[in-house]
Amino acid sequence: MAIPLAAGFVGQAAAREAAGLSVDMIRQKKMAGRALLLAGPPATGKTALALGIAQELGSKVPFCPMVGSEVYSSEVKKTEVLMENFRRAIGLRIKENKEVYEGEVTELSPEEAESTTGGYAKSISHVIIGLKTVKGTKQLKLDPSIYDALIKEKVAVGDVIYIEANSGAVKRVGRCDSFATEYDLEAEEYVPIPKGEVHKKKEIVQDVTLHDLDAANAQPQGGQDILSLMGQMMKPRKTEITEKLRQEINKVVNRYIDEGIAELVPGVLFIDEVHMLDIECFSYLNRALESPLSPIVILATNRGICNVRGTDMTSPHGIPVDLLDRLVIIRTETYGPTETIQILAIRAQVEEIDIDEESLAYLGEIGQQTSLRHAIQLLSPASVVAKTNGREKICKADLEEVSGLYLDAKSSARLLQEQQERYIT
């Protein structure tokens, strides 16, 4: 059962409980070929629910948000945009045994030499680095290009790092725990000093998405193994990703999944305002959901019965009926007066706006009459008015003033209807 007020969520108990069950189904791999549809009026927390599902699945699960109208572009085909976002939402966890130098940095000394181009400038000829583990220490003389990588990773003496022997790639793991302070909370992550020798074999786990591999191999250079695919991700190139290339990458990925080297991590593709997609996009979605390489798709819409874009047929939520059959539909309800006030109180706290109880109740009434979004948008101008009048706390008079200055969508539409002859049509 969903808690009425928890983790920033207010109300929507049934929808949140349904979302929680969906997370369990996703974890148990029982959502294949299906998708979620979050359907409800505007400002009922559909996007927040999608973000909550992504957060519950964990930071290692890719989350790719997009809006339905993003597919309309003069440069790229609609289905190509959808395909790209699908592949952004499919992760690949690659485990490889690599030869590395790992330890706590005890020395970091760049050695300078006269520049080969002449003049007074000096260049880095090499860098001396000392690494220490529980078993011993080692001093390494490194290429200047690795020094650039050390700077990029912001490596300092006392940090625990590893350097890949074959590629020279540097990874900062964290600060050695011998430097830990007495603070209960701080930004730095402390890690123990590595065990074993400095030079060793280590299992490296890398998380990438299929789109990363597509982009890195748009112009393949080298082999089709995972090492080649990964190595080319660092070379920025802007070239077209073809269907043939994607099929080749899928073959390699499937082979390495079968061999146990890589693990597929289906992420979340969130498409907001899904009614903006047309019949061509919906046909693509129908087919893509059946693919073995498919993410968890979450759709959101605030439409009732309306036309499916690109056709004359009407359908619930503007989505074709054959696709609706595949969807698990979660309904969100309009917030009541108490829930509206709770949401406004949380928003005021987040924005560090001081508001009294009477004003909060009055703002809640405005939210019920107009919309929750409009009520939230009135908080900032009301705070400015209060400060202009020499007060830190918002009072009811401030809200009355700003609500007279800023119209909501319903009031604006009503005025347009009444004063139609004044406007150009």
Side-chain angles (χ1 to χ4, degrees):
M1 187 70 185
I3 301 165
L5 178 62
F9 284 99
V10 176
Q12 305 293 355
R16 283 161 55 205
E17 193 171 346
L21 287 171
S22 301
V23 168
D24 290 338
M25 285 197 294
I26 291 165
R27 283 177 177 155
Q28 292 168 28
K29 297 182 169 34
K30 292 182 179 175
M31 278 290 288
R34 283 184 288 182
L36 283 175
L37 173 65
L38 304 174
T44 51
K46 297 182 290 293
T47 305
L49 270 177
L51 290 168
I53 289 169
Q55 193 170 335
E56 194 66 25
L57 288 169
S59 58
K60 294 289 184 184
V61 176
F63 179 72
C64 178
M66 67 171 287
V67 181
S69 54
E70 278 181 39
V71 301
Y72 301 105
S73 164
S74 57
E75 296 174 10
V76 185
K77 287 193 296 185
K78 290 173 283 189
T79 50
E80 178 65 25
V81 175
L82 279 174
M83 168 68 88
E84 186 176 309
N85 281 291
F86 254 76
R87 292 176 75 83
R88 282 183 198 276
I90 302 169
L92 196 67
R93 188 163 293 142
I94 301 160
K95 296 175 185 176
E96 293 176 278
N97 281 315
K98 289 190 174 181
E99 196 180 325
V100 298
Y101 293 92
E102 183 183 38
E104 178 199 335
V105 179
T106 55
E107 179 190 359
L108 186 60
S109 311
E111 299 290 328
E112 292 183 336
E114 295 294 333
S115 174
T116 52
T117 56
Y120 296 103
K122 290 190 175 183
S123 60
I124 304 293
S125 62
H126 62 274
V127 59
I128 302 292
I129 189 168
L131 295 176
K132 182 175 79 173
T133 63
V134 171
K135 271 199 173 179
T137 59
K138 196 173 187 75
Q139 194 178 62
L140 305 171
K141 183 179 178 181
L142 304 175
D143 187 79
S145 63
I146 298 177
Y147 181 61
D148 294 336
L150 290 166
I151 292 170
K152 194 175 178 183
E153 284 283 312
K154 297 180 180 174
V155 173
V157 172
D159 289 346
V160 174
I161 67 164
Y162 67 78
I163 304 168
E164 291 178 19
N166 62 340
S167 65
V170 177
K171 173 72 177 172
R172 183 181 182 273
V173 182
R175 192 89 174 135
C176 185
D177 58 8
S178 59
F179 290 85
T181 60
E182 70 279 3
Y183 299 118
D184 293 325
L185 262 180
E186 55 182 315
E188 193 61 78
E189 184 183 348
Y190 291 98
V191 293
I193 188 168
K195 295 173 183 176
E197 299 290 345
V198 171
H199 188 200
K200 66 182 90 169
K201 289 259 185 188
K202 182 182 172 77
E203 187 181 69
I204 307 293
V205 179
Q206 291 173 297
D207 289 296
V208 293
T209 67
L210 292 188
H211 176 71
D212 292 335
L213 298 178
D214 293 343
N217 291 273
Q219 286 182 344
Q221 295 173 1
Q224 283 296 308
D225 61 337
I226 285 287
L227 283 170
S228 298
L229 294 174
M230 292 300 301
Q232 291 174 56
M233 282 181 59
M234 305 308 292
K235 301 171 186 173
R237 291 184 301 275
K238 198 165 178 69
T239 54
E240 190 183 353
I241 297 166
T242 62
E243 189 58 35
K244 187 182 175 184
L245 172 69
R246 287 194 176 114
Q247 286 171 2
E248 288 298 314
I249 286 173
N250 288 353
K251 281 181 193 173
V252 175
V253 167
N254 286 327
R255 187 168 80 245
Y256 278 87
I257 289 169
D258 293 340
E259 292 173 8
I261 294 169
E263 176 195 350
L264 199 69
V265 184
V268 175
L269 172 62
F270 175 52
I271 307 177
D272 205 357
E273 308 291 341
V274 71
H275 53 267
M276 292 297 293
L277 299 181
D278 64 8
I279 193 69
E280 185 185 350
C281 296
F282 285 127
S283 301
Y284 172 81
L285 273 179
N286 230 342
R287 185 168 58 87
L289 283 170
E290 294 177 346
S291 167
L293 294 178
S294 174
I296 296 102
V297 180
I298 301 177
L299 313 173
T301 181
N302 54 22
R303 297 298 163 97
I305 294 172
C306 61
N307 273 13
V308 176
R309 200 177 173 99
T311 70
D312 294 328
M313 65 180 182
T314 57
S315 180
H317 313 298
I319 299 170
V321 179
D322 56 340
L323 179 58
L324 270 175
D325 283 343
R326 289 183 175 277
L327 305 179
V328 178
I329 301 171
I330 297 176
R331 182 154 180 75
T332 57
E333 302 288 345
T334 306
Y335 291 109
T338 308
E339 292 166 340
T340 301
I341 290 168
Q342 285 176 328
I343 292 165
L344 290 167
I346 291 168
R347 193 56 182 256
Q349 189 180 357
V350 168
E351 294 188 17
E352 298 180 344
I353 293 171
D354 207 356
I355 182 168
D356 60 41
E357 292 294 324
E358 184 194 6
S359 305
L360 205 55
Y362 177 65
L363 194 58
E365 284 175 31
I366 293 173
Q368 287 292 296
Q369 291 161 11
T370 58
S371 72
L372 177 60
R373 283 180 182 150
H374 179 67
I376 288 169
Q377 285 165 352
L378 292 180
L379 276 170
S380 294
S383 174
V384 173
V385 169
K387 284 174 182 172
T388 306
N389 293 330
R391 282 178 282 99
E392 285 297 317
K393 190 176 277 192
I394 294 172
C395 69
K396 189 177 175 182
D398 302 325
L399 290 168
E400 286 171 343
E401 185 178 338
V402 294
S403 63
L405 293 171
Y406 298 103
L407 291 179
D408 64 283
K410 291 175 189 172
S411 302
S412 181
R414 193 166 54 248
L415 271 173
L416 282 174
Q417 198 70 36
E418 291 167 3
Q419 303 174 7
Q420 208 169 355
E421 69 284 352
R422 298 186 186 181
Y423 293 88
I424 298 169
T425 54

